[in-house]
Amino acid sequence: MTDPAAPHTDLPSATPRPGLPSAALDGAAWGAAHGQLVGLLRDLIRIPSINPPNPPGPETAAAQRIAAELRAEGLEPEIIEPVPGRGTVTVRLRGDGTGGDALLLLSHHDVVPADPTLWTHAPFAADLADGYIWGRGAVDMKAMVAMETLVVVLLARRAREAGLDPARDPIPGLRRDVLFTCSADEEAGGDAGARWLVANRPDTLRAAGALNEAGGVSMDLAGKRFYPIQVAEKGFEVYRITVHGTWGHGSMPRDDNAAVMAAEAIRRLAVPGEPRLTPVMQRLLAELAASLPPDAAAVARAVGGDDPRRGDAAMRALCDEMYARALRALIRDSISPDVVNSGFKYNVIPGVATIEIDCRTLPGTTEGDMREEVLARLGDLAPHCTVEHMIGAPPVEAPASGDLYDTMAAMIRAHDPDGIPVPVMAPFATDAKSTAHLGVPTYGFSPLRLEPGERFLERFHGTDERVGVEALRWGLPVLYDVVAAYCG
Ligand SMILES: [Zn+2]
């Protein structure tokens, strides 16, 4: 057990550096803020805001819990419910208007389901054990929700301490607005969350830039500590392929058994495609190669080189499989056949089979390109297949330079002198797909300094999701400094 409010001395954030905005608060104030953060996060995990919700309700309860934290600081948050029980919470802190458009602190409070029989700690109990807070949403993404809420709380407190009304008056030191929006329904596409807000309440998302989930988390590689800042996301295109064969009697096998044809189609679709390095991945691999010791640098150079087989071999030999899997996905358009259906009785040859495939596209690959690739893979099976596009969204990219990116990188270095910020693309999609419609550059930046060996990537939607109490203690002042510096 770890006492969340205990004073803490062995990480750099314990003694805020002179010159950083966080230095305006002393160690006791940061200790109290950390305690408040841990309490809020545990409360949020205990609200089972599972999506798809059945029945609707817990998402609004999560929004209400966040709103209560903000109201206690004199703010007047708004809860928006496109569908009853599915609430998004939003609040705006005013700057003096001289610094440009707002910074958006973006998050979602819904979570995917969890099977409690597979977990060490009950997924909605928010146990505090072994230095971790355990539970569904600890990683994706209630920890960041709580951190962003606390940043807003601390800024509002600044106004109150100056005798101002944080709901109306500009916050001392802020030149641009800080907009906080924590949405429902990210885990099922955002029709009752961010996508709805884009169409109906763009004022809750419109900003010069946004900080969102997933990036900014430390990654230990060969003795070095990197902080990948997520500047891009792959797109996704989902297809349903219907394979048409011939019905028949199972006693007399046929080549055009739709199940057999589907098996061959899946084999062809599942072969990894040709690698293609986007500029962000080129830069990531070059920056990794420049900082890593020789053996590991050779892997980064091989993956970034012209010979894909050399890159694959180097990854297999030297790379942790968790990172290799991510890296393989980030240098090609990928196809994962994930749903297969055919047949209804053992002695009836099926005349039809369906396959649903999850395609993830690199920047530069359109839906049309992806469909062509799928048809090419099907080859001589294509005339027997109907390919139907189910859902999709294009890749998104934000600049890996400029004020906001540079502020994030600088604050990582200021709080972890051994930390190396690098730009990265995510293989998955977030609400950044929605903010892209409004032209808001959206970054994955939820700063956490993890224990070496913590398998963070595997905890997204996985079992035993957990976040370190000390990782949060490091992260909150980093996030605060980015917001205060960019908006100040
Ligand atoms: Zn998420």
Short mmCIF file of all heavy atoms in Angstrom, two decimals, residues 176-209:
data_model
loop_
_atom_site.label_atom_id
_atom_site.label_comp_id
_atom_site.label_asym_id
_atom_site.label_seq_id
_atom_site.Cartn_x
_atom_site.Cartn_y
_atom_site.Cartn_z
N ARG A 176 -4.30 32.64 -22.92
CA ARG A 176 -5.36 32.03 -23.74
C ARG A 176 -6.25 31.16 -22.86
O ARG A 176 -5.86 30.77 -21.75
CB ARG A 176 -4.80 31.24 -24.91
CG ARG A 176 -3.70 30.28 -24.61
CD ARG A 176 -3.40 29.42 -25.84
NE ARG A 176 -2.07 29.58 -26.38
CZ ARG A 176 -1.80 29.60 -27.69
NH1 ARG A 176 -2.75 29.49 -28.57
NH2 ARG A 176 -0.55 29.72 -28.10
N ASP A 177 -7.43 30.84 -23.36
CA ASP A 177 -8.37 30.02 -22.60
C ASP A 177 -7.85 28.59 -22.47
O ASP A 177 -7.16 28.09 -23.36
CB ASP A 177 -9.73 29.94 -23.30
CG ASP A 177 -10.48 31.27 -23.30
OD1 ASP A 177 -9.92 32.27 -22.80
OD2 ASP A 177 -11.62 31.30 -23.81
N VAL A 178 -8.23 27.95 -21.38
CA VAL A 178 -8.03 26.51 -21.24
C VAL A 178 -9.42 25.88 -21.26
O VAL A 178 -10.27 26.20 -20.43
CB VAL A 178 -7.32 26.16 -19.92
CG1 VAL A 178 -7.25 24.65 -19.72
CG2 VAL A 178 -5.91 26.76 -19.90
N LEU A 179 -9.64 25.04 -22.27
CA LEU A 179 -10.95 24.42 -22.46
C LEU A 179 -10.82 22.96 -22.06
O LEU A 179 -9.91 22.26 -22.53
CB LEU A 179 -11.32 24.56 -23.94
CG LEU A 179 -12.61 23.95 -24.44
CD1 LEU A 179 -13.81 24.49 -23.66
CD2 LEU A 179 -12.76 24.24 -25.93
N PHE A 180 -11.70 22.51 -21.17
CA PHE A 180 -11.67 21.11 -20.70
C PHE A 180 -12.93 20.42 -21.22
O PHE A 180 -14.05 20.90 -20.98
CB PHE A 180 -11.66 21.12 -19.17
CG PHE A 180 -11.85 19.76 -18.53
CD1 PHE A 180 -10.76 19.03 -18.07
CD2 PHE A 180 -13.13 19.23 -18.38
CE1 PHE A 180 -10.94 17.78 -17.47
CE2 PHE A 180 -13.32 17.98 -17.77
CZ PHE A 180 -12.22 17.26 -17.32
N THR A 181 -12.76 19.33 -21.96
CA THR A 181 -13.92 18.56 -22.41
C THR A 181 -13.64 17.07 -22.23
O THR A 181 -12.68 16.54 -22.80
CB THR A 181 -14.26 18.87 -23.88
OG1 THR A 181 -14.60 20.26 -23.98
CG2 THR A 181 -15.44 18.04 -24.36
N CYS A 182 -14.45 16.44 -21.41
CA CYS A 182 -14.31 15.00 -21.16
C CYS A 182 -15.58 14.33 -21.68
O CYS A 182 -16.66 14.53 -21.15
CB CYS A 182 -14.11 14.75 -19.67
SG CYS A 182 -13.96 12.99 -19.28
N SER A 183 -15.42 13.55 -22.74
CA SER A 183 -16.58 13.07 -23.47
C SER A 183 -17.01 11.66 -23.05
O SER A 183 -16.22 10.89 -22.49
CB SER A 183 -16.29 13.07 -24.98
OG SER A 183 -15.43 12.01 -25.31
N ALA A 184 -18.25 11.37 -23.36
CA ALA A 184 -18.76 10.00 -23.32
C ALA A 184 -18.46 9.36 -24.67
O ALA A 184 -18.00 10.02 -25.60
CB ALA A 184 -20.27 10.03 -23.08
N ASP A 185 -18.67 8.07 -24.76
CA ASP A 185 -18.78 7.35 -26.03
C ASP A 185 -17.57 7.42 -26.94
O ASP A 185 -17.72 7.40 -28.15
CB ASP A 185 -20.03 7.85 -26.80
CG ASP A 185 -20.43 6.86 -27.89
OD1 ASP A 185 -20.15 5.65 -27.74
OD2 ASP A 185 -21.01 7.29 -28.90
N GLU A 186 -16.36 7.45 -26.37
CA GLU A 186 -15.19 7.35 -27.25
C GLU A 186 -14.98 5.91 -27.68
O GLU A 186 -14.56 5.65 -28.81
CB GLU A 186 -13.95 7.87 -26.52
CG GLU A 186 -12.73 8.04 -27.42
CD GLU A 186 -11.84 6.81 -27.54
OE1 GLU A 186 -12.04 5.83 -26.78
OE2 GLU A 186 -10.95 6.79 -28.39
N GLU A 187 -15.30 4.98 -26.79
CA GLU A 187 -14.95 3.58 -27.05
C GLU A 187 -15.87 2.92 -28.08
O GLU A 187 -15.64 1.77 -28.46
CB GLU A 187 -14.97 2.78 -25.73
CG GLU A 187 -13.94 3.24 -24.70
CD GLU A 187 -12.49 2.91 -25.12
OE1 GLU A 187 -12.30 2.35 -26.21
OE2 GLU A 187 -11.59 3.25 -24.35
N ALA A 188 -16.92 3.61 -28.51
CA ALA A 188 -17.79 3.03 -29.53
C ALA A 188 -18.05 4.03 -30.65
O ALA A 188 -19.11 4.03 -31.26
CB ALA A 188 -19.09 2.53 -28.91
N GLY A 189 -17.09 4.91 -30.89
CA GLY A 189 -17.16 5.74 -32.09
C GLY A 189 -17.53 7.19 -31.89
O GLY A 189 -17.31 8.02 -32.76
N GLY A 190 -18.12 7.54 -30.73
CA GLY A 190 -18.33 8.96 -30.42
C GLY A 190 -19.63 9.57 -30.93
O GLY A 190 -19.79 10.78 -30.88
N ASP A 191 -20.57 8.74 -31.42
CA ASP A 191 -21.83 9.32 -31.90
C ASP A 191 -22.59 10.02 -30.78
O ASP A 191 -23.37 10.94 -31.03
CB ASP A 191 -22.72 8.24 -32.54
CG ASP A 191 -22.23 7.90 -33.94
OD1 ASP A 191 -21.46 8.71 -34.50
OD2 ASP A 191 -22.62 6.84 -34.46
N ALA A 192 -22.38 9.58 -29.53
CA ALA A 192 -22.99 10.26 -28.38
C ALA A 192 -21.91 11.03 -27.61
O ALA A 192 -22.09 11.39 -26.45
CB ALA A 192 -23.68 9.25 -27.47
N GLY A 193 -20.78 11.27 -28.27
CA GLY A 193 -19.67 11.98 -27.62
C GLY A 193 -19.04 12.95 -28.58
O GLY A 193 -19.71 13.87 -29.08
N ALA A 194 -17.74 12.76 -28.87
CA ALA A 194 -16.99 13.77 -29.62
C ALA A 194 -17.56 14.02 -31.01
O ALA A 194 -17.58 15.17 -31.47
CB ALA A 194 -15.52 13.36 -29.70
N ARG A 195 -18.01 12.97 -31.70
CA ARG A 195 -18.55 13.19 -33.05
C ARG A 195 -19.81 14.07 -32.99
O ARG A 195 -20.02 14.93 -33.83
CB ARG A 195 -18.88 11.85 -33.72
CG ARG A 195 -17.65 11.19 -34.35
CD ARG A 195 -17.93 9.72 -34.63
NE ARG A 195 -19.05 9.54 -35.53
CZ ARG A 195 -18.93 9.35 -36.85
NH1 ARG A 195 -17.75 9.28 -37.39
NH2 ARG A 195 -19.98 9.19 -37.60
N TRP A 196 -20.61 13.83 -31.97
CA TRP A 196 -21.81 14.65 -31.79
C TRP A 196 -21.42 16.09 -31.47
O TRP A 196 -22.02 17.06 -31.99
CB TRP A 196 -22.67 14.05 -30.66
CG TRP A 196 -24.00 14.72 -30.50
CD1 TRP A 196 -25.18 14.36 -31.07
CD2 TRP A 196 -24.28 15.90 -29.71
NE1 TRP A 196 -26.18 15.23 -30.69
CE2 TRP A 196 -25.65 16.19 -29.86
CE3 TRP A 196 -23.51 16.73 -28.90
CZ2 TRP A 196 -26.27 17.26 -29.22
CZ3 TRP A 196 -24.10 17.81 -28.27
CH2 TRP A 196 -25.47 18.07 -28.42
N LEU A 197 -20.40 16.26 -30.65
CA LEU A 197 -19.95 17.61 -30.29
C LEU A 197 -19.44 18.37 -31.52
O LEU A 197 -19.70 19.57 -31.65
CB LEU A 197 -18.86 17.55 -29.21
CG LEU A 197 -19.27 16.98 -27.86
CD1 LEU A 197 -18.03 16.78 -26.97
CD2 LEU A 197 -20.29 17.87 -27.14
N VAL A 198 -18.72 17.69 -32.39
CA VAL A 198 -18.22 18.33 -33.61
C VAL A 198 -19.39 18.94 -34.38
O VAL A 198 -19.33 20.08 -34.83
CB VAL A 198 -17.46 17.31 -34.50
CG1 VAL A 198 -17.22 17.89 -35.89
CG2 VAL A 198 -16.13 16.93 -33.85
N ALA A 199 -20.47 18.18 -34.51
CA ALA A 199 -21.60 18.63 -35.31
C ALA A 199 -22.48 19.63 -34.58
O ALA A 199 -23.03 20.54 -35.20
CB ALA A 199 -22.44 17.42 -35.73
N ASN A 200 -22.61 19.49 -33.27
CA ASN A 200 -23.62 20.27 -32.54
C ASN A 200 -23.07 21.28 -31.53
O ASN A 200 -23.73 22.25 -31.23
CB ASN A 200 -24.56 19.30 -31.79
CG ASN A 200 -25.29 18.40 -32.75
OD1 ASN A 200 -26.24 18.83 -33.39
ND2 ASN A 200 -24.84 17.17 -32.89
N ARG A 201 -21.89 21.00 -31.00
CA ARG A 201 -21.30 21.92 -30.02
C ARG A 201 -19.80 22.09 -30.28
O ARG A 201 -18.97 21.78 -29.41
CB ARG A 201 -21.53 21.39 -28.59
CG ARG A 201 -22.95 21.51 -28.09
CD ARG A 201 -23.39 22.96 -27.87
NE ARG A 201 -22.46 23.69 -26.99
CZ ARG A 201 -22.56 23.75 -25.66
NH1 ARG A 201 -23.57 23.16 -25.05
NH2 ARG A 201 -21.69 24.42 -24.94
N PRO A 202 -19.45 22.56 -31.48
CA PRO A 202 -18.02 22.68 -31.79
C PRO A 202 -17.28 23.61 -30.83
O PRO A 202 -16.06 23.52 -30.70
CB PRO A 202 -18.01 23.21 -33.23
CG PRO A 202 -19.38 23.78 -33.46
CD PRO A 202 -20.31 23.01 -32.59
N ASP A 203 -18.03 24.50 -30.14
CA ASP A 203 -17.38 25.41 -29.18
C ASP A 203 -16.71 24.63 -28.04
O ASP A 203 -15.84 25.16 -27.36
CB ASP A 203 -18.42 26.37 -28.59
CG ASP A 203 -19.56 25.63 -27.90
OD1 ASP A 203 -20.26 24.83 -28.57
OD2 ASP A 203 -19.75 25.81 -26.67
N THR A 204 -17.11 23.38 -27.82
CA THR A 204 -16.50 22.59 -26.73
C THR A 204 -15.20 21.93 -27.17
O THR A 204 -14.53 21.28 -26.36
CB THR A 204 -17.46 21.49 -26.24
OG1 THR A 204 -17.70 20.57 -27.33
CG2 THR A 204 -18.77 22.06 -25.75
N LEU A 205 -14.85 22.05 -28.45
CA LEU A 205 -13.66 21.38 -28.98
C LEU A 205 -12.71 22.31 -29.73
O LEU A 205 -11.53 22.00 -29.89
CB LEU A 205 -14.06 20.25 -29.94
CG LEU A 205 -14.90 19.10 -29.36
CD1 LEU A 205 -15.31 18.15 -30.48
CD2 LEU A 205 -14.12 18.33 -28.29
N ARG A 206 -13.24 23.45 -30.22
CA ARG A 206 -12.43 24.29 -31.10
C ARG A 206 -11.28 24.90 -30.31
O ARG A 206 -11.49 25.48 -29.26
CB ARG A 206 -13.33 25.38 -31.71
CG ARG A 206 -12.76 25.96 -32.97
CD ARG A 206 -13.82 26.71 -33.77
NE ARG A 206 -14.47 25.87 -34.77
CZ ARG A 206 -15.75 25.98 -35.11
NH1 ARG A 206 -16.52 26.85 -34.50
NH2 ARG A 206 -16.25 25.20 -36.05
N ALA A 207 -10.05 24.74 -30.83
CA ALA A 207 -8.88 25.21 -30.09
C ALA A 207 -7.68 25.26 -31.01
O ALA A 207 -7.70 24.72 -32.12
CB ALA A 207 -8.59 24.25 -28.94
N ALA A 208 -6.61 25.92 -30.51
CA ALA A 208 -5.36 25.99 -31.27
C ALA A 208 -4.66 24.65 -31.24
O ALA A 208 -3.85 24.33 -32.13
CB ALA A 208 -4.46 27.06 -30.67
N GLY A 209 -4.95 23.86 -30.22
CA GLY A 209 -4.32 22.55 -30.09
C GLY A 209 -4.99 21.80 -28.95
O GLY A 209 -5.70 22.40 -28.14
#
